[in-house]
Amino acid sequence: NPSVGNKKGGLTTIYEKSLGAVAKGGSTALRGVYEYSEQIKEKGLVVMDTPGYDPASVTGIVAGGCQVVVFTTGRGSVLGCKPSPTIKVSTNTPLFERMRDDMDLDAGPILNGKSIEEVGTEIFEEVLAVASGKQTKSEAQGIGDEEFCPWTSGPVF
């Protein structure tokens, strides 16, 4: 199911949420599909079967080998997940302005005419900087130690 925040944002089904995830893949060829926390072996765009709950989803991706997380949020998720630095990208400028101390980048200017390529370059440069030692906003605030949240697939009683 979509999370409470997704529902408040207008999503009604997991299918709608999944369409958003697919759109973020752009036009790059899909290189692999992985089970939750399965070790990633392919280079390029891959998809992992994770829940819609941010901490559990990112825990699985990190367990699969993710070194730097780029996490988009339109509603203000404050996720920070150690051991992998989490770069939070706000999808709109009002959110970025409200949460300036917790958001690393603002993709909102795309709505005002800045090109997707320009913002993509900013994100790419931030990934390189963080991979080279720059702290994310979460790291600078010491956030992320409590974000480990494994997911049990299948029915839970």
Side-chain angles (χ1 to χ4, degrees), residues 90-105:
S90 72
T91 61
N92 61 81
T93 301
L95 169 66
F96 184 79
E97 293 297 328
R98 263 192 328 273
M99 298 183 71
R100 186 175 289 280
D101 293 337
D102 198 46
M103 294 293 123
D104 296 284
L105 296 170

Side-chain angles (χ1 to χ4, degrees), residues 35-37 48-53 55-57 59-60 149-154 156:
E35 295 296 323
Y36 184 79
S37 74
M48 181 178 284
D49 180 13
T50 68
Y53 181 54
S57 176
T59 296
C149 180
W151 178 47
T152 304
S153 27
V156 178

Side-chain angles (χ1 to χ4, degrees), residues 82-150:
K82 291 180 182 175
S84 296
T86 304
I87 300 167
K88 287 186 288 282
V89 180
S90 72
T91 61
N92 61 81
T93 301
L95 169 66
F96 184 79
E97 293 297 328
R98 263 192 328 273
M99 298 183 71
R100 186 175 289 280
D101 293 337
D102 198 46
M103 294 293 123
D104 296 284
L105 296 170
D106 179 17
I110 292 171
L111 299 174
N112 294 320
K114 193 169 191 179
S115 76
I116 292 172
E117 290 77 17
E118 287 177 280
V119 174
T121 298
E122 290 174 17
I123 294 170
F124 180 72
E125 289 173 355
E126 186 73 4
V127 170
L128 291 179
V130 168
S132 298
K134 177 183 177 184
Q135 284 193 323
T136 64
K137 297 272 179 96
S138 291
E139 288 178 301
Q141 296 180 56
I143 297 170
D145 289 334
E146 294 83 24
E147 297 292 344
F148 180 77
C149 180

Side-chain angles (χ1 to χ4, degrees), residues 23-104:
K24 292 175 188 171
S27 59
T28 300
L30 180 64
R31 300 293 180 191
V33 178
Y34 291 87
E35 295 296 323
Y36 184 79
S37 74
E38 183 180 355
Q39 190 68 39
I40 305 296
K41 301 199 185 313
E42 298 291 326
K43 292 182 179 182
L45 177 65
V46 300
V47 174
M48 181 178 284
D49 180 13
T50 68
Y53 181 54
D54 304 342
S57 176
V58 173
T59 296
I61 294 167
V62 170
C66 176
Q67 301 295 307
V68 176
V69 176
V70 178
F71 189 88
T72 58
T73 180
R75 301 197 45 88
S77 179
V78 294
L79 180 80
C81 185
K82 291 180 182 175
S84 296
T86 304
I87 300 167
K88 287 186 288 282
V89 180
S90 72
T91 61
N92 61 81
T93 301
L95 169 66
F96 184 79
E97 293 297 328
R98 263 192 328 273
M99 298 183 71
R100 186 175 289 280
D101 293 337
D102 198 46
M103 294 293 123
D104 296 284

